[in-house]
Amino acid sequence: MSHEGARTANLSRNQQAQASSLVCYTLRLKKGQELKTSLMKFVKETNLKAPFVMTCVGCVSKATLRLAASAEASYSEKIKTFDQFFEILSLVGTLSGDRGHLHISLGDKDGNVIGGHVMGDLIIYTTAEIVIGECSNVTYSREFDKETGYPELCIKPRDTPPVFN
């Protein structure tokens, strides 16, 4: 697909999709850096319009996650901070808006896995190797959704394609 424009898929009213070409950025974070803050800072400094995490491996010494909530529990009741070493098994999500929307899976020393919505405090212990993708022909934003009660991802075609140096 060329940079001249994004194709829009013909989907039901509850779905939104745009085809786009892709540019990749590879980052390495070091001990003591906070992962989510560092990613959002990189996105802002490089003026990325439709960024997402393609892959991430590394190790953290602390993590604050929002765990899945049942219908009876509020989301705030499910926020937990873990002060221990974990291997990053998976990190996925979009980096739009002020906070992005990231989910992570972490493995402990015994092979147990925890996961959830990244709230912050993902403190790098040794390193984190991350590849961020940037969709070239679209922009991501977050707009309040009355059905969910949260700011949700909105995908829009770009007016002009980006210029790559």
Side-chain angles (χ1 to χ4, degrees), residues 16-40:
Q16 189 178 17
Q18 295 278 335
S20 182
S21 55
L22 175 68
V23 176
C24 299
Y25 299 85
T26 305
L27 299 133
R28 177 174 174 239
L29 301 180
K30 296 181 179 180
K31 185 173 185 163
Q33 290 183 277
E34 199 286 316
L35 191 140
K36 185 174 181 181
T37 303
S38 297
L39 293 181
M40 297 310 295

Side-chain angles (χ1 to χ4, degrees), residues 69-74:
S70 65
E72 299 85 40
S74 74

Side-chain angles (χ1 to χ4, degrees), residues 37-165:
T37 303
S38 297
L39 293 181
M40 297 310 295
K41 181 179 178 186
F42 175 80
V43 165
K44 186 174 185 176
E45 287 175 351
T46 53
N47 199 30
L48 301 183
K49 301 297 183 194
F52 62 95
V53 175
M54 296 179 73
T55 190
C56 175
V57 295
C59 180
V60 296
S61 59
K62 183 178 182 182
T64 299
L65 307 177
R66 186 183 71 214
L67 307 178
S70 65
E72 299 85 40
S74 74
Y75 278 112
S76 63
E77 294 171 2
K78 293 293 190 170
I79 295 174
K80 287 191 170 187
T81 297
F82 301 89
D83 284 302
Q84 66 187 77
F85 298 109
F86 291 105
E87 289 289 328
I88 300 169
L89 306 176
S90 174
L91 177 69
V92 297
T94 56
L95 298 165
S96 59
D98 295 330
R99 297 180 303 200
H101 185 188
L102 299 172
H103 288 197
I104 196 166
S105 295
L106 301 167
D108 71 12
K109 65 180 178 58
D110 297 318
N112 298 309
V113 177
I114 62 164
H117 179 92
V118 175
M119 299 303 291
D121 288 335
L122 283 171
I123 307 302
I124 305 301
Y125 180 61
T126 55
T127 191
E129 302 165 3
I130 307 145
V131 179
I132 295 175
E134 161 79 333
C135 294
S136 303
N137 300 336
V138 298
T139 61
Y140 293 166
S141 63
R142 295 219 159 265
E143 296 176 15
F144 185 78
D145 184 316
K146 290 183 280 187
E147 285 185 41
T148 67
Y150 293 96
E152 301 290 0
L153 181 67
C154 292
I155 308 159
K156 297 177 182 167
R158 287 194 194 186
D159 294 332
T160 56
V163 175
F164 301 104
N165 297 325

